[in-house]
Amino acid sequence: MIAIIGGGICGLGIGWRLAQAGENVTVYDRGAAGMGATWAAAGMLAPQVEAEHGEEFLLPLALKSRAMWKGFAAELLSTTGIDVDYREEGTMVVGLDRDDAEYLENRLSYFQSLGLDVHWLTGYQARKREPHLARAVGSAIYSTLDHQVDNRLVAEALKTAFLGAGGILKENIEIIGVVTAGGKVSAIETAEDTILTDMVILAAGAWSRNLAGIPDSSRPLVRPLKGQMIAVQMEPENPLIESVIWGPGNGIVPSIYLAPKSNGRLVIGATVEEMGFDTELTAGGIMELLRLAWDVLPGIYDLPLVESWAGLRPASRDDAPILGPSKTKGLVLATGHHRNGILLAPLTAKAVCNYVRRGEVGESIKPFLLDRFEKAATSDV
Ligand code: GLY
């Protein structure tokens, strides 16, 4: 039996691929599957506009996974009947003042130096595409290839697909430890039981570093990074925007984003806060989200505020995922996806499945093995 710890988008995705291949696989989740960072996310598939200096090594992986998404969504639809709302209107980053325009000019030349297909829009051109943008929007860059999905529908579809392929899902069961002997995995433990297995895939998001029994050299140093978010409800037949819009940030919201879903839900995020496992909402966080979103899209003022929540991104030391084998035989890692868990899920599922079944570490995941942190593995993050 292959045990997957964590029933988020990566755990379920890997489980689905393994179950499809005829493996006996069980996913364990400490709560309800798909209700952690997967549920809290915004569903953006935007490696272009989210490309960052110093993270160029992540770009090929992100672009490859993005290219898989349309097929992944179609396969989920044909397998489960669940449409995960894959939307191709693209992503726009807007600026309000002269400083923002200079920042966007810089971003554009960086993106172009990476060979990415992004282009400049004047404020007028941006409003032609998205007429409800604020009059103050004076500049924008636009990426037609950065798409989005409804992450909550993806979780539902993956759960259905996994179960339909013969996978076993055990919810509300917390795995508290991994048992190893002679450098190999032999079991996992709950508070009451020991479950024998020689293959464990650790996909527990922000909780991935906390399990007892994992040798230090195999422990993924992942920490929670809090994100507060809100949603307002648009009229689905009369939405304020159709593309994903990013705008200027401030303080705990480094950049504001607005991701419209086809059911009219407009997801607005997010704070980025080093607060450990705290998921409390703060007045300041929500105020910043509303104010920054209103600056870009004033029409949200009259919309019903339908939800507010906080999620915990699983962040590694270099903000890139930790994938593939560890130093402990039978302990495989699929964690640390930081802000990119939804984007990287199809590739994570495929690559980790290939490794587990054939022992192949694919070229695309070689830069993301745990051993890149070897020198620092025993110190704290
Ligand atoms: N990927 C969106 C976020 O981390 O806020």
Side-chain angles (χ1 to χ4, degrees), residues 34-159:
M35 291 300 289
T38 301
W39 179 87
M44 297 177 295
L45 312 173
Q48 300 205 153
V49 302
E50 294 192 54
E52 291 294 341
H53 285 281
E55 292 182 8
E56 289 80 5
F57 77 117
L58 182 55
L59 191 60
L61 187 83
L63 292 175
K64 198 165 176 193
S65 197
R66 185 187 63 184
M68 294 168 75
W69 249 108
K70 194 168 181 172
F72 194 71
E75 192 182 346
L76 283 173
L77 177 60
S78 65
T79 309
T80 67
I82 298 171
D83 180 345
V84 300
D85 196 22
Y86 180 82
R87 297 190 65 168
E88 301 181 79
E89 289 90 341
T91 299
M92 202 188 288
V93 189
V94 302
L96 299 171
D97 58 22
R98 184 65 219 151
D99 284 351
D100 296 338
E102 277 180 29
Y103 166 77
L104 290 182
E105 276 165 25
N106 249 300
R107 295 288 285 161
L108 183 69
S109 53
Y110 173 61
F111 296 150
Q112 288 175 340
S113 76
L114 296 171
L116 301 176
D117 180 19
V118 280
H119 55 266
W120 186 261
L121 298 178
T122 62
Y124 171 74
Q125 288 167 328
R127 265 186 304 281
K128 238 176 128 184
R129 189 168 276 285
E130 293 291 358
H132 294 281
L133 287 176
R135 295 294 307 164
V137 168
S139 55
I141 50 182
Y142 180 53
S143 165
T144 52
L145 297 176
D146 283 340
H147 300 157
Q148 62 159 327
V149 284
D150 185 324
N151 40 292
R152 295 184 182 178
L153 292 174
V154 173
E156 197 185 317
L158 271 177
K159 190 167 148 176

Side-chain angles (χ1 to χ4, degrees), residues 42 44 50 229 246 257 269-272 313 338-340:
M44 297 177 295
E50 294 192 54
M229 300 176 65
W246 286 74
Y257 57 74
T271 66
V272 177
R313 307 172 183 92
H338 190 232
R339 302 190 77 160
N340 296 308

Side-chain angles (χ1 to χ4, degrees), residues 246-270:
W246 286 74
N250 188 14
I252 61 171
V253 182
S255 297
I256 192 79
Y257 57 74
L258 302 95
K261 308 303 174 190
S262 296
N263 61 5
R265 195 161 173 271
L266 178 60
V267 176
I268 301 173

Side-chain angles (χ1 to χ4, degrees), residues 40-42 44 224-230 246 249-257 267-276 278-292 308-313 338-339:
M44 297 177 295
L225 200 53
K226 176 179 175 181
Q228 300 186 50
M229 300 176 65
I230 54 173
W246 286 74
N250 188 14
I252 61 171
V253 182
S255 297
I256 192 79
Y257 57 74
V267 176
I268 301 173
T271 66
V272 177
E273 300 170 78
E274 295 280 2
M275 296 288 289
D278 168 42
T279 50
E280 220 160 55
L281 298 170
T282 63
I286 302 301
M287 183 183 78
E288 290 300 331
L289 291 172
L290 283 169
R291 194 177 59 73
L292 292 164
S308 52
W309 68 98
L312 298 172
R313 307 172 183 92
H338 190 232
R339 302 190 77 160

